[in-house]
Amino acid sequence: AVSRGLERTRDTRSQTDLCARDRRLNVRDAFAVVSDSGLRRAAVTLVDDVTTTGATLRECAATLLAYGAREVRSITVARAE
């Protein structure tokens, strides 16, 4: 089943012109789990169109795991260098 169980809790700058360190800082604490999402104890797969440093995926995964997701995996369509 598809769930939109994560939400952005604050606006962040575009990641495009940021270095890896700044990308991590930019998305830190920028996501929260929707309380009725059913993701506690779930195996979750995140889908991203393009991954560069993976900062957003890592932050989303950390948020889900802290909420109680059993595991988090990711699928990316393309990788930017």
Side-chain angles (χ1 to χ4, degrees), residues 7-50:
E7 63 184 3
R8 188 177 292 269
T9 57
R10 64 178 175 79
D11 290 332
T12 57
R13 292 180 47 199
S14 170
Q15 301 274 77
T16 307
D17 296 322
L18 300 177
C19 67
R21 178 187 170 277
D22 290 342
R23 286 176 185 233
R24 288 190 302 275
L25 294 173
N26 189 44
V27 295
R28 182 178 291 161
D29 300 324
F31 301 95
V33 175
V34 176
S35 62
D36 63 349
S37 61
L39 297 177
R40 196 174 306 277
R41 293 181 301 280
V44 178
T45 301
L46 298 170
V47 180
D48 194 4
D49 57 349
V50 178

Side-chain angles (χ1 to χ4, degrees), residues 60-76:
C60 289
T63 300
L64 288 161
L65 291 168
Y67 180 77
R70 185 177 71 238
E71 67 180 65
V72 179
R73 298 177 184 200
S74 65
I75 296 173
T76 305

